[in-house]
Amino acid sequence: MSTGIGARVKRKEDKRFITGKGKYTDDVRSENQAYAAFVRSPHAHAKIKGIDKSAALAMEGVIDVLDGHQLTGDGIGNIICGWAITSKDGSAMNMGAWSALATEKVRYVGDAAAVVIAETQALARIAAEAVEVDYEVLPAVSNAKKALADGAPEIHDNAPGNLIYDWEIGEEAATDAALSEAAHVTEMEITNNRLSPNPMEPRSAVATYDAAEEHYTLYTTSQNPHVARLVLSAFYQVAPEHKLRVIAPDVGGGFGSKIYIYPEEITCLWASMKTNRSVKWTSDRSEAFITDAHGRDHISTAKMGFDADGRITGFKVDTIANFGAYMSLFSSAVPTYLYATLLSGQYDIQNIHCNVRAVYTNTVPVDAYRGAGRPEACYLIERMMETAAREMGKDPSELRRANFVREFPHQTPVIMAYDAGDFDANLDQAREAADVAGFPARKEEAAKRGKLRGLGYSSYIEACGIAPSAAVGSLGAGVGLWESAEVRVNPVGTIEILTGSHSHGQGHETTFAQIVAERFSIPIENVSIVHGDTDKVQFGMGTYGSRSGAVGMSAIVKAMDKVEAKVRKIAAHVLEASEDDIVIEGGEVKVKGTDKAMGWHEVGLSAYTAHNLPPDMEPGLKESAFYDPANFTFPAGAYICEVEVDPETGVTEIVRFTASDDFGTIINPMIVEGQVHGGIAQGIGQAMLEQVVYDDDGQLITGSYMDYTMPRAADLPFYDVHHASTICPNNPLGMKGCGEAGAIGSPPAVINAITDAIGSNTLAMPATPHAVWSALQAAQ
Amino acid sequence: MTKISMNVNGKAVSRDVPDETLLSDYLREHLRLTGTHVGCDTSQCGACVVHVNGRAVKSCSALAASLEGAEVTTIEGIAQNGELHPMQQAFTDHHGLQCGFCTPGMIMTGVDMVNRYKAEGRDLTTDAIRHELEGNICRCTGYHNIVRAVEDAAAKM
Amino acid sequence: MYPTKYHKPDSVDAAITALSGAEDGKFLAGGQTLLATMKQHLAAPSDLVDVRGISDLSGIRMDGDTLVIGAATTHAEVAASADVNSACPGLARLAAGIGDPAVRHMGTIGGSIANNDPAACYPAGLLALNATIVTNSREIAADDFFLGLFTTALEEDEIITSVRVPACAKAAYAKFRQPASLFALVGVCVAQTADGARVAITGAGEDGVFRHEGLEAALSSDWSASAIDGVEVSADGLMSDIHGSAAYRANLIKVMAKRAVAAA
């Protein structure tokens, strides 16, 4: 059976997971382990007047109680946002100070004021309750619109009116003019509900300080251990990079929430040095709800203008983005360069303008969550398109077709230059698979059973493979967004791939091995993938934004190019042939058209024995490469959702969900389909089930699975997933990325289907039974 | 502190543990069987499911002290003589796992449901599988392949 | 969790003695609620007195036309019991729908009703079925047992030993799940008893489980789903939260009552 590109290879990493032998951070236990528990604010906004640690310190087994003044006093720096956004008036963004342990004020429920280090986790948690923090409670605000209103409580001194930035993109005057001349204008106010990422593995950190070496080791639940080390060193001054090893072992899902460097990891590292103990912290789920970065939370108004033929003439959007109490690592980029730049959708729109105001509130910090900005853009565009079609009496798929981009490359007015795609092909494939033609009959049959059936579309496009370093640098990014790889061919011919990408469910140990096995014609068992350890892999930017294929694998290909070049030289020398005649196939390195050949392992051995290498050639067979992408990649597709609503209860059942995606080259269809399934499930979760709810005082209502609805098996359908691909012209494998597509494309398809079923367009996410029933009542 | 003796994965074990020790902590921290995971604190996610006396139980919601003498099977104990259990095999065959964190609980729940349905002579339809997975949350797979894996294993068990 | 001392007595008397000797003791049965509460530091009993070692509290039997279910009987045992399925199939189906399979293997009927969670299923079932709760010192009619949110008629050191449920061929429970917790957002149990129809509702009431006179009157005169159409279910006194307004819950009471009648 083939194990190369396009093969459904079963995952190499599965065995340890299905036998209980995975190694996650909380499974790590150091010698003489101590445990941390945080003293967290029960108030959304309060001044810290004092901290009385005496009762906790008096408990037997409590090692120390540390606070924010000690932390900052030791020179630990503030947590930063790594992407500078400039307001439209030219001013810099207003980043408020964020210390890993609060010093003067707490700004959200869960903000940590101190940490207890104790001999057991249970004792640490009990002692944390005994630490008495004297709070002066301040007025709080949780809603972004209210935070902008006059008289709202101000959260950071350097952010008047709670405004972080007021940013725009596109031509406002031209867009206004286009809208004023439009034959039809669709106008909507659209909220994108706030979500909690909820990877099933809670975050965890085990930090160990070695006083003799002045060296730190951190095991942590990270999607990007090298970025963690960089930030911990360069900005938080925990330790210089060469004195800090960060290991992200098996990580139980991330979805964005494990990109960031949180107060807990910083505190554990510092506390390990303070107490001279290995310090471990593992979040429980309740703590995760008040510490893991949330996602989404936009309030937008949008106007889309059409000419008499249904062609879009202008699109104007005004968005307020809730950032929570502090600016998280990538927060600023999410509602700007990952959102507004995608507002052209799959459509040829000449005039777009988007204004974004980023706002502080007394809530958990908000940052990238699966899709990050692109789901918000897609939801806006695709709800607008479906609504416009209904208003103008047009078929929603025909309205989309009337506006599809069909010539590539296509420069949108909002930075992005689409490189390839065939949007008609995706829509055609999805419509056929979804049997759209048979829908009227199914609707009629459902009506006989008292059910309301509806069908909704979503034609999404997103930008992945983030990203050309120079491009993102010019837009304010604090890092380059390349990836690195090292290919080590051992003397026996087996291969280790060291990658800066990180796998936390994506199956890199399989897909990365597939491209190597195919390239060098060796068994896939002879390839192993090394990732997640800064001592092993030199550097890397990690895994997020569907970038591991398009960027991470491209780096591997570049390193393999170098290995192949050397292999050819060695083989040509040994076999006394021309390099150009060397071919690698069937486990051998051969001279084309002859029977002269050496085994792949013999080439490896030759490189290391170095007894017979070309003159001036260095021994060994190990190459590395850094790959900096030439452009973003643009996965796209068409999703069709069909639902049945029970009008008595408002319960919606998804009876059919059809996807046609264009991901470019697919390495392992089994894994890609799994990514699509999971993405769609999270998108359906956003559309129908999930929402973080705060009350007006900033108290979290949805603080556990008792109130935050996680999608379960019975909430979800089987998914009908298809591919109609165009090859990405900008990377060596032609890959676009597949990790986020499902979460981006599905929410509008679901809501378009439900609103079609109930005949009312007034429905916000999540469309819970209560919300759907209420919409039906209001429409009567 | 109470000395708690059990039979875990076919072996007699005995540990002195505080009375408030949960079975999940007994397994993870005292026996170092870290395949059993803890993903929530409200008994809902099911990552911690093990078998106690042959029935699926959430190990985060049972006291070790209450299980003196019990037979406990964890994810580490269902493969026999190096052969994967059919449920384990089905999960890898159908790509029923991604990050792997919920997987031990899913597999233990899957084995329990198939055993019960077979004992009762009931038909384990895909709808029934979805319903039976009510107490197990996965964030990666969207459940599609998990349901397929359980369905396949049920045919082979 | 805070430290606690675990006891596993083998008799009711020993259990009462253990509890009364404790500073702040609690009975422990299946632990599916109590342990979660302790994990979150919302409860910190000095002692836990596990009642599952008491043989008098286990088992299901018929006493004439009355089902007797030991307090420490798990939901799974009730659901699978031949006696329950023949004498009161609606109760077996109710038990089969509590929590999830793993919870049903541990959670007990006594623990559930002693806790009297306002969204639990058993209180509605036992109230509609006109059950009697038997303790170590007395018998309490379900009508007198459930007193409000997490409140029952139980005294401090009183222990539920069994529940007596009159056989009832026509009874059913219909649950509309709160989407996150999967507890009842509205659960309606209807039963055709010797004294007429009884309808009990969980999940919805501000004061916990309650009976609905209007629905009972309608079903007493005409046991059919359509009889419920004309009944006015007021939203007054119903809970309102992020999962459902009082008006929505009022609507669900009617819908679930009809579905329960149809299923009975």
Side-chain angles (χ1 to χ4, degrees):
Chain A
M1 199 186 117
S2 164
T3 60
I5 292 173
R8 304 178 80 89
V9 180
K10 286 181 205 167
R11 297 204 321 171
K12 285 159 64 78
E13 50 269 77
D14 279 357
K15 189 169 181 189
R16 66 177 185 272
F17 295 125
I18 59 178
T19 55
K21 302 294 185 191
K23 191 177 186 189
Y24 299 86
T25 299
D26 188 55
D27 301 338
V28 173
R29 188 164 73 194
S30 299
E31 287 287 311
N32 207 12
Q33 187 71 65
Y35 296 84
F38 288 83
V39 179
R40 299 193 180 280
S41 172
H43 307 294
H45 199 190
K47 274 188 189 154
I48 300 172
K49 291 163 68 183
I51 299 177
D52 182 354
K53 307 172 181 176
S54 54
L57 284 169
M59 292 181 176
E60 194 187 333
V62 170
I63 298 161
D64 209 345
V65 180
L66 302 165
D67 63 35
H69 289 292
Q70 291 170 284
L71 179 114
T72 53
D74 279 357
I76 302 297
N78 283 331
I79 299 169
I80 50 105
C81 172
W83 197 307
I85 298 293
T86 305
S87 284
K88 58 192 179 191
D89 67 2
S91 61
M93 63 186 187
N94 300 321
M95 182 158 60
W98 184 9
S99 171
L101 296 173
T103 51
E104 309 302 325
K105 274 217 297 192
V106 285
R107 293 180 172 86
Y108 65 97
V109 172
D111 207 355
V115 64
V116 174
I117 312 299
E119 295 292 345
T120 70
Q121 186 188 55
L123 177 62
R125 288 179 177 183
I126 289 166
E129 287 184 351
V131 175
E132 285 183 30
V133 182
D134 185 9
Y135 291 112
E136 178 189 331
V137 178
L138 300 169
V141 63
S142 56
N143 174 284
K145 223 173 190 174
K146 288 180 183 169
L148 282 177
D150 288 342
E154 292 206 346
I155 296 163
H156 291 276
D157 292 343
N158 64 335
N162 297 314
L163 187 67
I164 297 168
Y165 56 70
D166 184 355
W167 174 91
E168 67 176 346
I169 191 169
E171 298 293 332
E172 184 167 26
T175 306
D176 283 341
L179 287 169
S180 70
E181 288 161 18
H184 178 85
V185 176
T186 290
E187 225 178 311
M188 294 180 83
E189 184 169 328
I190 289 181
T191 300
N192 205 282
N193 42 328
R194 186 183 184 110
L195 304 175
S196 178
N198 275 296
M200 291 319 296
E201 180 205 21
R203 287 194 297 116
S204 179
V206 182
T208 307
Y209 178 64
D210 179 336
E213 302 288 341
E214 296 178 341
H215 182 278
Y216 294 80
T217 301
L218 174 68
Y219 282 87
T220 186
T221 46
S222 175
Q223 299 177 218
N224 34 239
H226 292 86
V227 175
R229 183 177 69 156
L230 169 67
V231 175
L232 285 163
S233 296
F235 297 99
Y236 311 146
Q237 281 93 36
V238 172
E241 278 179 281
H242 68 298
K243 292 289 188 185
L244 172 59
R245 177 184 186 185
V246 179
I247 302 167
D250 286 329
V251 173
F255 314 113
S257 70
K258 292 173 181 169
I259 297 173
Y260 325 114
I261 292 77
Y262 288 90
E264 291 83 9
E265 293 99 84
I266 300 168
T267 303
C268 284
L269 282 163
W270 169 69
S272 172
M273 181 272 292
K274 293 295 270 190
T275 60
N276 209 12
R277 294 284 295 268
S278 174
V279 174
K280 179 173 184 173
W281 167 80
T282 299
S283 174
D284 60 25
R285 185 58 57 186
S286 302
E287 204 173 8
F289 274 107
I290 54 169
T291 62
D292 292 6
H294 292 169
R296 319 281 194 258
D297 205 346
H298 285 193
I299 304 168
S300 299
T301 54
K303 290 181 195 171
M304 191 179 265
F306 296 84
D307 68 15
D309 298 326
R311 291 193 51 84
I312 304 164
T313 55
F315 188 23
K316 186 171 186 183
V317 180
D318 181 68
T319 295
I320 301 171
N322 189 339
F323 272 39
Y326 300 101
M327 291 186 76
S328 178
L329 189 65
F330 282 162
S331 58
S332 58
V334 176
T336 49
Y337 295 114
L338 297 176
Y339 162 72
T341 55
L342 273 303
L343 283 172
S344 198
Q346 294 192 351
Y347 313 113
D348 181 1
I349 308 176
Q350 292 303 308
N351 302 293
I352 298 176
H353 180 262
C354 180
N355 196 94
V356 179
R357 285 171 287 170
V359 182
Y360 282 122
T361 62
N362 295 111
T363 61
V364 169
V366 177
D367 207 323
Y369 163 62
R370 200 170 195 168
R374 289 151 290 165
E376 295 91 316
C378 178
Y379 187 68
L380 206 58
I381 301 159
E382 293 304 294
R383 285 288 290 135
M384 295 291 283
M385 289 301 278
E386 202 92 353
T387 301
R390 289 173 192 167
E391 288 174 354
M392 293 189 286
K394 291 177 185 293
D395 179 280
S397 51
E398 290 312 311
L399 184 68
R400 287 177 169 87
R401 284 189 208 281
N403 289 283
F404 276 161
V405 171
R406 292 194 177 83
E407 284 176 22
F408 298 90
H410 172 83
Q411 178 63 54
T412 72
V414 280
I415 298 180
M416 292 300 177
Y418 300 160
D419 54 5
D422 186 345
F423 307 143
D424 290 289
N426 290 122
L427 186 54
D428 290 344
Q429 188 181 46
R431 279 175 59 91
E432 193 182 330
D435 185 23
V436 172
F439 174 71
R442 295 195 293 275
K443 186 176 175 74
E444 200 177 317
E445 185 277 329
K448 286 181 190 154
R449 291 182 281 111
K451 297 289 171 66
L452 308 171
R453 204 157 171 124
L455 185 133
Y457 293 89
S458 166
S459 287
Y460 76 89
I461 189 166
E462 52 148 337
C464 293
I466 185 167
S469 297
V472 295
S474 73
L475 300 176
V479 290
L481 287 169
W482 41 263
E483 194 46 88
S484 83
E486 186 175 318
V487 177
R488 292 183 187 165
V489 183
N490 296 315
V492 291
T494 57
I495 296 181
E496 284 138 19
I497 301 293
L498 286 73
T499 170
S501 299
H502 185 276
S503 187
H504 31 280
Q506 293 88 345
H508 294 171
E509 290 170 53
T510 305
T511 50
F512 286 16
Q514 283 180 257
I515 64 168
V516 178
E518 172 162 298
R519 178 72 175 267
F520 295 131
S521 185
I522 61 172
I524 195 166
E525 296 76 25
N526 290 1
V527 183
S528 61
I529 307 300
V530 178
H531 69 97
D533 184 341
T534 59
D535 261 15
K536 293 180 179 168
V537 179
Q538 189 245 331
F539 211 94
M541 300 313 298
T543 289
Y544 42 84
S546 310
R547 68 193 303 275
S548 301
V551 190
M553 283 203 216
S554 296
I556 295 171
V557 170
K558 282 196 59 172
M560 289 197 295
D561 290 344
K562 295 182 188 176
V563 168
E564 181 175 333
K566 189 165 181 179
V567 164
R568 285 173 177 281
K569 283 193 170 72
I570 294 170
H573 177 75
V574 173
L575 300 171
E576 296 174 332
S578 157
E579 271 176 59
D580 296 339
D581 291 336
I582 300 294
V583 290
I584 303 174
E585 61 183 33
E588 291 184 321
V589 184
K590 302 175 176 171
V591 182
K592 199 164 48 185
T594 73
D595 58 1
K596 289 204 284 185
M598 39 194 312
W600 170 260
H601 62 283
E602 291 177 281
V603 180
L605 199 59
S606 300
Y608 287 93
T609 57
H611 297 160
N612 183 21
L613 290 179
D616 304 327
M617 179 182 273
E618 289 178 15
L621 194 50
K622 182 193 84 164
E623 300 288 350
S624 63
F626 286 69
Y627 172 77
D628 199 8
N631 191 1
F632 288 86
T633 63
F634 298 96
Y639 288 176
I640 299 177
C641 179
E642 193 168 326
V643 299
E644 232 176 66
V645 175
D646 173 3
E648 288 188 331
T649 60
V651 167
T652 301
E653 182 190 358
I654 296 181
V655 290
R656 197 163 187 156
F657 199 102
T658 311
S660 168
D661 294 295
D662 177 357
F663 297 140
T665 304
I666 290 173
I667 307 298
N668 185 327
M670 177 191 82
I671 285 176
V672 168
E673 286 158 18
Q675 289 290 313
V676 175
H677 294 168
I680 293 172
Q682 286 181 356
I684 292 173
Q686 166 159 36
M688 294 174 59
L689 303 166
E690 299 179 45
Q691 181 166 31
V692 172
V693 181
Y694 280 95
D695 71 11
D696 283 345
D697 297 326
Q699 291 293 330
L700 181 63
I701 307 293
T702 50
S704 79
Y705 290 158
M706 297 299 279
D707 287 301
Y708 187 89
T709 309
M710 289 291 281
R712 292 178 172 87
D715 298 319
L716 297 166
F718 288 112
Y719 319 95
D720 187 20
V721 177
H722 302 264
H723 305 289
S725 299
T726 60
I727 299 305
C728 176
N730 284 312
N731 60 56
L733 292 167
M735 299 178 72
K736 297 187 180 183
C738 66
E740 295 158 294
I744 293 167
S746 58
V750 174
I751 299 298
N752 287 338
I754 300 175
T755 51
D756 179 51
I758 65 176
S760 163
N761 208 37
T762 312
L763 183 67
M765 298 192 291
T768 61
H770 180 216
V772 172
W773 179 82
S774 301
L776 275 166
Q777 298 303 303
Q780 275 175 5
Chain B
M1 282 281 185
T2 302
K3 190 181 192 83
I4 308 297
S5 302
M6 299 179 198
N7 185 304
V8 177
N9 297 330
K11 282 185 201 145
V13 296
S14 198
R15 293 287 188 284
D16 277 319
V17 298
D19 284 9
E20 64 275 14
T21 304
L22 296 166
L23 177 58
S24 50
D25 286 332
Y26 185 80
L27 295 169
R28 286 182 57 78
E29 301 299 333
H30 297 274
L31 303 183
R32 296 300 283 158
L33 290 170
T34 55
T36 297
H37 297 150
V38 177
C40 80
D41 44 17
T42 48
S43 303
Q44 285 167 299
C45 82
C48 67
V49 168
V50 300
H51 294 178
V52 175
N53 299 328
R55 314 198 95 182
V57 158
K58 291 184 167 170
S59 64
C60 77
S61 299
L63 287 181
S66 72
L67 297 171
E68 174 67 28
E71 278 197 27
V72 175
T73 308
T74 71
I75 187 67
E76 290 94 342
I78 60 169
Q80 295 294 331
N81 307 320
E83 281 276 306
L84 292 177
H85 186 283
M87 190 63 70
Q88 291 173 309
Q89 187 63 47
F91 267 72
T92 187
D93 286 349
H94 292 270
H95 188 32
L97 65 150
Q98 290 180 25
C99 82
F101 194 80
C102 77
T103 309
M106 287 284 176
I107 289 175
M108 298 310 284
T109 297
V111 172
D112 174 71
M113 92 172 70
V114 173
N115 287 343
R116 278 188 290 109
Y117 271 66
K118 284 207 183 302
E120 294 162 18
R122 294 161 70 195
D123 187 21
L124 189 59
T125 63
T126 56
D127 279 351
I129 294 168
R130 289 182 185 277
H131 180 67
E132 286 283 331
L133 288 174
E134 193 169 293
N136 292 76
I137 299 175
C138 168
R139 190 56 151 171
C140 294
T141 65
Y143 303 97
H144 181 117
N145 289 337
I146 290 176
V147 177
R148 291 293 184 222
V150 175
E151 186 184 24
D152 182 33
K156 291 170 180 163
M157 278 170 65
Chain C
M1 298 212 297
Y2 280 84
T4 192
K5 186 160 173 45
Y6 176 80
H7 308 259
K8 197 168 186 179
D10 58 6
S11 71
V12 170
D13 286 348
I16 302 292
T17 304
L19 193 79
S20 46
E23 186 187 330
D24 176 23
K26 269 196 183 334
F27 289 124
L28 171 73
Q32 300 304 284
T33 301
L34 179 55
L35 293 176
T37 314
M38 289 172 65
K39 275 192 278 184
Q40 293 175 307
H41 288 191
L42 299 173
S46 64
D47 296 68
L48 288 174
V49 180
D50 192 338
V51 301
R52 288 170 295 182
I54 306 171
S55 56
D56 292 352
L57 266 57
S58 65
I60 299 170
R61 63 184 170 86
M62 294 301 297
D63 179 7
D65 279 346
T66 300
L67 260 174
V68 183
I69 303 172
T73 308
T74 65
H75 311 325
E77 288 164 347
V78 172
S81 157
D83 283 338
V84 180
N85 276 285
S86 81
C88 194
L91 185 64
R93 287 200 294 273
L94 177 149
I98 298 173
D100 59 57
V103 167
R104 290 195 286 275
H105 287 151
M106 292 292 277
T108 67
I109 188 168
S112 171
I113 60 176
N115 187 45
N116 194 18
D117 187 305
C121 301
Y122 266 134
L126 299 193
L127 193 54
L129 290 163
N130 201 14
T132 300
I133 288 86
V134 182
T135 75
N136 58 313
S137 55
R138 57 182 170 150
E139 297 197 350
I140 310 168
D143 279 322
D144 302 322
F145 182 83
F146 301 108
L147 298 183
L149 306 180
F150 300 103
T151 311
T152 68
L154 288 173
E155 301 291 336
E156 281 274 297
D157 55 356
E158 193 171 7
I159 183 168
I160 301 170
T161 55
S162 67
V163 174
R164 297 175 65 86
V165 185
C168 184
K170 265 208 164 332
Y173 175 67
K175 172 160 66 169
F176 190 90
R177 288 172 166 79
Q178 193 258 61
S181 69
L182 303 183
F183 275 64
L185 186 70
V186 167
V188 180
C189 191
V190 299
Q192 211 176 31
T193 73
D195 308 327
R198 288 173 66 100
V199 179
I201 295 155
T202 188
E206 283 178 334
D207 296 323
V209 67
F210 67 98
R211 287 171 62 189
H212 196 282
E213 282 177 25
L215 290 170
E216 290 186 352
L219 290 173
S220 291
S221 59
D222 173 11
W223 181 266
S224 73
S226 57
I228 289 166
D229 284 330
V231 179
E232 186 80 18
V233 174
S234 167
D236 292 346
L238 299 186
M239 281 193 279
S240 218
D241 58 28
I242 59 167
H243 304 291
S245 64
Y248 182 55
R249 282 182 160 92
N251 169 69
L252 287 177
I253 288 173
K254 280 183 76 165
V255 175
M256 290 298 116
K258 289 165 81 167
R259 293 181 184 181
V261 169

